């Protein structure tokens, strides 16, 4: 199947988007290839210092922070056991795993938990939890908390822990 999902990260007022392709050779085992447009990409710090050479005094000192969106990949293997999916593989360029628990007729509702970025320095791994509601055959809504155990802030002082909500379509 082919899908697209976009989420608003409310604490940072940014969007995170996914384009995915699921290859399902059988119903209970499949592979996912996903391209993620993440707002928490490359952070750069530029410091500009202007010095008056005649008196060796600093006349202007400016520090600029910039975060550039980045593209990340997911390559996941999924095994389904009844109403539970176990996923593992590459999640946003790092190793990770996830669990999805489905409810309702034709998997109308789901709760999920995923963990990745275990190698971050100075921050805990990224733990994300959320829910899913398929309200029409091809359309669904998502909500949850991204990076839920991270108490750090980015270079603009905004929290890295982000409640999110969004919508998606899949075929």
């Amino acid at each position: 199947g082919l899908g697209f999902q976009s989420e608003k990260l409310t604490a940072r007022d940014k969007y995170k988007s996914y384009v995915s392709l699921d290859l399902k050779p059988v119903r209970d085992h499949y592979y996912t290839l996903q391209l993620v447009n993440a707002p928490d990409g490359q952070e750069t710090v530029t410091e500009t210092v202007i010095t008056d050479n005649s008196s060796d005094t600093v006349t202007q000192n400016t520090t600029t922070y910039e975060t550039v969106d980045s593209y990340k990949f997911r390559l996941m293997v999924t095994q389904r056991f009844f109403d539970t999916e176990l996923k593992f593989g590459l999640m946003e360029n790092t190793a990770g795993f996830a669990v999805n628990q489905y409810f309702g007729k034709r998997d109308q509702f789901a709760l999920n938990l995923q963990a990745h970025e275990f190698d971050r320095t100075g921050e805990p791994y990224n733990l994300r939890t959320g829910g899913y509601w398929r309200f029409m055959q091809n359309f669904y809504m998502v909500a949850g908390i991204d990076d839920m155990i991270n108490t750090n802030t980015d270079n603009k002082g905004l929290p890295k822990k982000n409640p999110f909500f969004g919508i998606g379509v899949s075929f």
Side-chain angles (χ1 to χ4, degrees), residues 33-44:
L33 172 62
Q34 204 169 53
L35 178 65
V36 181
N37 181 2
D40 55 351
Q42 181 77 26
E43 291 184 344
T44 58

Side-chain angles (χ1 to χ4, degrees), residues 24 33 37 56 70 73 93 98 107-108 126 145 155:
K24 296 184 177 184
L33 172 62
N37 181 2
D56 284 336
S70 68
F73 291 98
N93 298 347
D107 300 338
Q108 185 177 6
N126 188 330
I145 301 175
N155 55 24

Side-chain angles (χ1 to χ4, degrees), residues 16-18 34-38 70-74 92:
K16 188 174 191 177
S17 300
Y18 308 81
Q34 204 169 53
L35 178 65
V36 181
N37 181 2
S70 68
Y71 291 96
K72 298 180 180 183
F73 291 98
R74 287 184 177 205
E92 298 184 23

Side-chain angles (χ1 to χ4, degrees), residues 140-154:
Y140 60 91
M141 293 184 347
V142 294
I145 301 175
D146 188 36
D147 216 352
M148 67 184 282
I149 59 174
N150 195 343
T151 58
N152 294 332
T153 58
D154 66 7

Side-chain angles (χ1 to χ4, degrees), residues 91-105:
M91 292 182 107
E92 298 184 23
N93 298 347
T94 67
F97 66 91
V99 177
N100 293 344
Q101 181 64 50
Y102 290 96
F103 305 94
K105 186 185 276 186

Side-chain angles (χ1 to χ4, degrees), residues 43-64:
E43 291 184 344
T44 58
V45 178
T46 306
E47 186 172 13
T48 306
V49 178
I50 299 174
T51 307
D52 182 356
N53 290 333
S54 63
S55 62
D56 284 336
T57 59
V58 175
T59 57
Q60 184 178 0
N61 186 353
T62 307
T63 303
T64 306

